[in-house]
Amino acid sequence: MGPGIYTINMTRGILIVGNDSSLSAAVAAEAARRVEQFAFAQIPNRISGPPWEKPALGAEHRIPLSWNPGSPISARTLVLSAENRLERIDEAVLVCSPPSIRRPAGELIPTEIEIMVNDHIKGWFFLVKELAALFKAKKGGILALVLSEISSGSAKDETIDLLGPSAAASFRAFAQNLLSSSQREPYQTMAFTASEAGEETAFASFIFKILEEGNKRNNGKLHKFGRLSFFGR
């Protein structure tokens, strides 16, 4: 399932939020094939580590917006800014792909713990609150929650990542509860997860294919790309 030929939609408002990761970049590149412009907010890269592999993003289609995930005011400002720049938000795609921090428990750095909690756990709660309020007021929209596969396992001589999988687990539980409560809301909520590493481009195409179906029966569903899933349904 690879990139194809798409019709550019000038009136569809898409907001994508995620960290500096190959999955976020793939989702943004896929959006660029479908709309003339989309809004993109990146979680600041405040944890040192090797650079991410970045596929072509389609920068000419992207409206970059700033976001401080740990601030509820910043979440509101982000949603308002996206709505003002796009004139509407029809779909919000939130991509959780936390960075890996491999340290023994006794060597964890307090500032990195704070960054992980603020940027990759707390921030999603603030942002979803604002998006849910917006979609509820307009009586429509799609909230799409995308979880990247993270394995806590490692080779015998490799330190296990304690923080990244914990952030992913929080996002997973949050998404599950949002799916469970989605039938009471006037907008759609969907979740997406993949089981295969290195399939970001195909996974991103799969996500947008489901979003574009416009099938109300997709509301409240987890859509799995691959054989396994973090959600374990």
Side-chain angles (χ1 to χ4, degrees):
M1 188 184 301
I5 298 174
Y6 306 102
T7 301
I8 296 295
N9 186 330
M10 297 176 64
T11 61
R12 177 180 170 195
I14 299 177
L15 168 65
I16 298 171
V17 183
N19 66 319
D20 186 10
S21 67
S22 57
L23 179 55
S24 294
V27 170
E30 196 64 31
R33 297 186 181 99
R34 288 168 154 83
V35 293
E36 186 174 79
Q37 285 191 316
F38 64 93
F40 184 88
Q42 181 172 294
I43 298 173
N45 182 8
R46 302 196 291 149
I47 295 177
S48 60
W52 297 99
E53 178 185 351
K54 297 181 183 179
L57 188 60
E60 68 276 11
H61 297 272
R62 181 178 48 154
I63 301 173
L65 300 174
S66 61
W67 180 39
N68 174 12
S71 165
I73 296 174
S74 183
R76 180 171 299 179
T77 301
L78 169 59
V79 172
L80 290 174
S81 298
E83 191 175 25
N84 288 337
R85 297 291 299 275
L86 296 170
E87 298 185 352
R88 56 192 288 174
I89 301 176
D90 300 299
E91 301 159 27
V93 185
L94 312 186
V95 183
C96 179
S97 181
S100 176
I101 303 176
R102 296 188 177 275
R103 302 186 197 281
E107 297 178 16
L108 290 172
I109 299 173
T111 54
E112 289 184 339
I113 296 172
E114 289 184 5
I115 288 170
M116 187 66 78
V117 170
N118 285 331
D119 292 5
H120 299 277
I121 297 179
K122 186 195 296 184
W124 295 124
F125 290 87
F126 291 147
L127 184 56
V128 167
K129 173 192 178 300
E130 296 301 329
L131 289 168
L134 171 68
F135 289 154
K136 190 166 186 175
K138 63 182 286 190
K139 299 189 183 332
I142 298 177
L143 177 63
L145 304 141
V146 181
L147 178 64
S148 174
E149 182 175 1
I150 299 176
S151 173
S152 59
S154 61
K156 267 189 173 182
D157 58 347
E158 192 175 31
T159 303
I160 291 176
D161 177 13
L162 297 175
L163 297 181
S166 298
S170 172
F171 187 85
R172 178 176 70 232
F174 189 33
Q176 284 179 315
N177 288 326
L178 287 169
L179 292 176
S180 297
S181 63
S182 62
Q183 299 302 324
R184 298 193 295 269
E185 303 295 349
Y187 56 89
Q188 294 191 60
T189 302
M190 306 178 199
F192 299 85
T193 188
S195 62
E196 301 294 333
E199 295 291 330
E200 290 87 355
T201 298
F203 182 31
S205 178
F206 170 78
I207 292 168
F208 278 96
K209 178 179 179 295
I210 299 296
L211 295 180
E212 289 166 350
E213 284 180 356
N215 189 340
K216 291 186 177 180
R217 289 181 295 180
N218 285 328
N219 185 35
K221 287 188 176 180
L222 166 69
H223 301 274
K224 304 177 184 180
F225 181 80
R227 295 186 301 275
L228 302 174
S229 170
F230 265 112
F231 288 82
R233 285 190 180 177

